[in-house]
Structure formats: C-alpha cells, structure tokens
Amino acid sequence: MLILTRKKDESLRIGEDIKITVVIVSGGHVRLGIEAPRDLAVHRSEIYDKIADEAASSGDAEAESQD
C-alpha cells in the first residue's frame, strides 16, 4: 500500500485519466473529489464488495440452472 500525505485542495493522480483531490478535512473525516472517465466505475469499497458478491451469487445461480 502506498501512503501519501495530502492537504486540503491537494491532489494525486493515477495514470493520465484519474485525479483525486482532498476537498474537505474535518475531524476524523476526509471528503475526496474524484475525476475519472465516465466509463470507469468508482465505488466505495463496501459497495464494490457487495456488487462483487451479488455478481458471484448470480453466476452461481446461472451455473446451477445450466446443469
């Protein structure tokens, strides 16, 4: 894991297409702004995990129905 220190209004880039900017730092919370191509899905990790679990369950159901 890469760990970086950024202050409000500072950014980091991932490749040429993704820019992440610290918008607000308040207490124990950080608000980030993400600029990325529209065709790239951006999710919080807990949402991404839920989507992946649902896709895996759906794939299992499809495999069982094909037997």
Side-chain angles (χ1 to χ4, degrees):
M1 175 187 302
L2 173 64
I3 299 174
L4 301 170
T5 301
R6 301 277 72 205
K7 295 178 182 176
K8 183 179 181 295
D9 297 325
E10 292 183 334
S11 301
L12 63 102
R13 297 201 66 109
I14 300 173
E16 295 179 10
D17 296 341
I18 302 170
K19 180 179 179 182
I20 301 172
T21 303
V22 176
V23 178
I24 296 172
V25 179
S26 176
H29 298 276
V30 176
R31 186 166 287 192
L32 303 173
I34 302 169
E35 296 177 39
R38 288 196 177 273
D39 62 335
L40 180 66
V42 178
H43 300 288
R44 297 182 314 225
S45 61
E46 63 273 17
I47 300 298
Y48 180 86
D49 292 343
K50 184 176 179 180
I51 292 168
D53 289 346
E54 289 175 359
S57 295
S58 174
D60 292 342
E62 289 179 21
E64 290 176 9
S65 68
Q66 292 178 359
D67 289 339

